[in-house]
Amino acid sequence: MAGATLSSANSQHGLADRLTRWAKGFSGKAEEAETEPSPRATKMPVNREVNRRRKLYEEIGEFLFAHDLDLTPLNFSVALDYLTGANIGIEKAIKAVLMERGAITSSWIEAVAAEQRADEVTAESLAQMLDKVEENLSHFTGLVKESRNSAKDYGAALQEQAKGLSEGGEAEPVLARLVGLTRSMVEKTRQVETQMRENQKQTHALKSSLESARRAAEHDHLTGLPNRRAFENVLREEVTLARSNGEHLSIAFCDIDHFKLVNDVHGHDTGDRVLKFVAGLLAKVSSDRCHVARHGGEEFVLLLRGRTAAEACELVDSVREDLSNRSLVNRANGERMERVSFSAGVANVFAYDEPRGALKAADRALYLAKEHGRNRVYLAAEID
């Protein structure tokens, strides 16, 4: 019992350390000093970092209280990520839930945490398989080297015996030794070949599993599009490439309008088909210079190299118009569905200090489009 208490205390202490680290740099208004400062306060100026941390703790408390959330490390962590913008995925998910429901719940937070843990497990499994492949390749290399050394030793021994035979030695003992050497070499070769075949089978199986796991880790199983993890890798690569080539780089967030209503009215199977249909329309504009991914839920993200933000707006808007003009039918009952549309926000990646700033700007433009009527594309202001 004492051990459990100590573990809980350590967990809370670790959380406090994490909160302190994130609080540094958090913009907050310095609170006024007390009316009657203590003697120590009169000698030392109010610590700005302490005020910032105090402000952050208060905001976290207000967030938890407003949504009737228990005071747990997990809820603290999510509130911290949301309020500081430390995790854009958490920030976007909370904004979406607040827009749809007006509040978040502990069960929703647990689901988000479980999804993140699943991502971590997938990454760990990939790393373990990579280690196993490397181990097998190393073993394979060792077997090849061993085989070569055995052949070299056999050649040297054979040459030595042949030398004794040419010098007029007795033929029978020399031939017997040659036969013995040959048998030994053949047996050794068989053993090495068996081990190499087994090693090749294991390596091939591991490579197949690795490719499947990598695809599962980087692609959305429903739409077949790359997922958020894959997109983040592409974003880093495209930023480097666009900068080196002096090209424009734009990013767009697209979110299906009233998607919860689609699920509620027509069922989740129809909702999944709508997701796949929208994904297909967006995928049509993808290329080696236009990357499309499912960012999560009913939201998609596009990265366009070689296009200004205004040009990217035009392209995204053409897909939006195509979708909104279509008349979709519920396959389950043949009924015509309400118009399906999406809203979007677009930003110039290089208008911000880092790509993350552009992501947030495009996200803000998206939610402005939602607030102003949906089924429209907004361009983010390049002044943050």
Side-chain angles (χ1 to χ4, degrees):
M1 189 71 178
T5 304
L6 178 60
S7 174
S8 176
N10 288 338
S11 175
Q12 295 292 341
H13 184 265
L15 175 61
D17 287 345
R18 183 165 179 246
L19 287 168
T20 300
R21 288 196 300 273
W22 280 115
K24 291 182 179 179
F26 183 81
S27 59
K29 204 173 182 181
E31 296 182 354
E32 296 179 1
E34 297 176 355
T35 306
E36 296 181 359
S38 65
R40 181 179 179 85
T42 59
K43 297 178 182 179
M44 183 181 296
V46 176
N47 189 320
R48 186 175 300 174
E49 294 303 321
V50 170
N51 284 332
R52 287 176 178 174
R53 290 198 297 272
R54 183 183 292 117
K55 176 70 172 177
L56 176 59
Y57 298 159
E58 289 176 355
E59 292 193 356
I60 289 175
E62 291 171 0
F63 178 87
L64 297 177
F65 183 79
H67 298 285
D68 195 25
L69 298 171
D70 293 332
L71 201 64
T72 66
L74 178 58
N75 291 343
F76 252 114
S77 177
V78 170
L80 176 66
D81 287 339
Y82 171 64
L83 292 171
T84 61
N87 187 323
I88 191 171
I90 291 292
E91 184 180 3
K92 290 171 67 59
I94 287 180
K95 284 182 179 178
V97 171
L98 291 179
M99 178 170 286
E100 286 188 1
R101 308 176 191 170
I104 62 175
T105 62
S106 294
S107 60
W108 178 86
I109 290 178
E110 290 171 1
V112 171
E115 182 181 346
Q116 291 187 336
R117 284 195 297 270
D119 286 345
E120 292 172 2
V121 169
T122 301
E124 183 179 350
S125 299
L126 282 172
Q128 290 175 351
M129 281 193 284
L130 279 171
D131 290 342
K132 188 64 178 176
V133 169
E134 290 177 357
E135 179 185 336
N136 273 17
L137 289 175
S138 177
H139 187 209
F140 182 80
T141 303
L143 288 173
V144 172
K145 186 176 181 180
E146 182 182 350
S147 179
R148 287 176 178 171
N149 289 337
S150 296
K152 184 177 179 181
D153 293 342
Y154 171 72
L158 189 63
Q159 187 176 9
E160 185 66 26
Q161 295 301 323
K163 180 180 178 183
L165 186 62
S166 64
E167 290 176 352
E170 296 182 10
E172 285 191 17
V174 173
L175 288 174
R177 287 195 292 272
L178 286 173
V179 171
L181 280 170
T182 302
R183 285 177 177 170
S184 176
M185 182 59 189
V186 169
E187 183 61 28
K188 182 67 175 177
T189 300
R190 286 175 178 169
Q191 291 176 3
V192 171
E193 286 179 348
T194 300
Q195 291 178 350
M196 288 177 69
R197 280 196 299 270
E198 184 62 28
N199 189 265
Q200 284 177 321
K201 287 180 182 178
Q202 291 181 8
T203 301
H204 179 73
L206 281 169
K207 285 178 67 177
S208 298
S209 298
L210 186 62
E211 289 171 2
S212 298
R214 183 180 288 115
R215 177 171 176 80
E218 295 183 349
H219 281 76
D220 173 57
H221 73 281
L222 177 65
T223 64
L225 291 176
N227 60 15
R228 183 171 57 201
R229 180 199 298 273
F231 179 79
E232 288 172 354
N233 293 332
V234 170
L235 177 59
R236 286 191 291 270
E237 295 170 359
E238 289 294 298
V239 165
T240 301
L241 189 58
R243 277 180 176 153
S244 63
N245 294 340
E247 296 177 292
H248 295 288
L249 188 64
S250 301
I251 191 166
F253 274 126
C254 306
D255 187 278
I256 300 176
D257 298 325
H258 299 299
F259 184 70
K260 183 177 183 298
L261 187 61
V262 173
N263 281 329
D264 291 344
V265 173
H266 301 284
H268 289 277
D269 287 343
T270 299
D272 286 348
R273 284 194 288 271
V274 168
L275 281 172
K276 288 191 284 187
F277 183 76
V278 175
L281 290 181
L282 292 169
K284 288 180 180 179
V285 302
S286 66
S287 65
D288 59 343
R289 297 169 69 84
C290 177
H291 304 275
V292 181
R294 185 183 180 193
H295 204 258
E298 63 270 28
E299 189 173 70
F300 301 88
V301 59
L302 293 85
L303 186 65
L304 305 99
R305 179 162 52 88
R307 289 178 184 264
T308 65
E311 291 169 341
C313 264
E314 291 180 4
L315 179 64
V316 174
D317 195 57
S318 67
V319 181
R320 179 206 59 78
E321 186 175 7
D322 181 11
L323 174 63
S324 65
N325 288 334
R326 291 176 181 262
S327 181
L328 303 183
V329 175
N330 184 344
R331 188 184 300 175
N333 54 25
E335 293 180 1
R336 196 170 300 280
M337 298 174 60
E338 301 80 3
R339 182 177 63 180
V340 176
S341 63
F342 68 71
S343 302
V346 181
N348 172 10
V349 174
F350 294 139
Y352 303 86
D353 293 336
E354 57 179 0
R356 183 174 172 180
L359 285 167
K360 296 183 76 170
D363 188 47
R364 286 194 295 270
L366 163 63
Y367 280 93
L368 280 175
K370 292 276 190 183
E371 290 176 0
H372 292 171
R374 295 180 168 82
N375 192 24
R376 62 196 64 205
V377 180
Y378 274 14
L379 178 62
E382 296 188 1
I383 300 176
D384 212 17

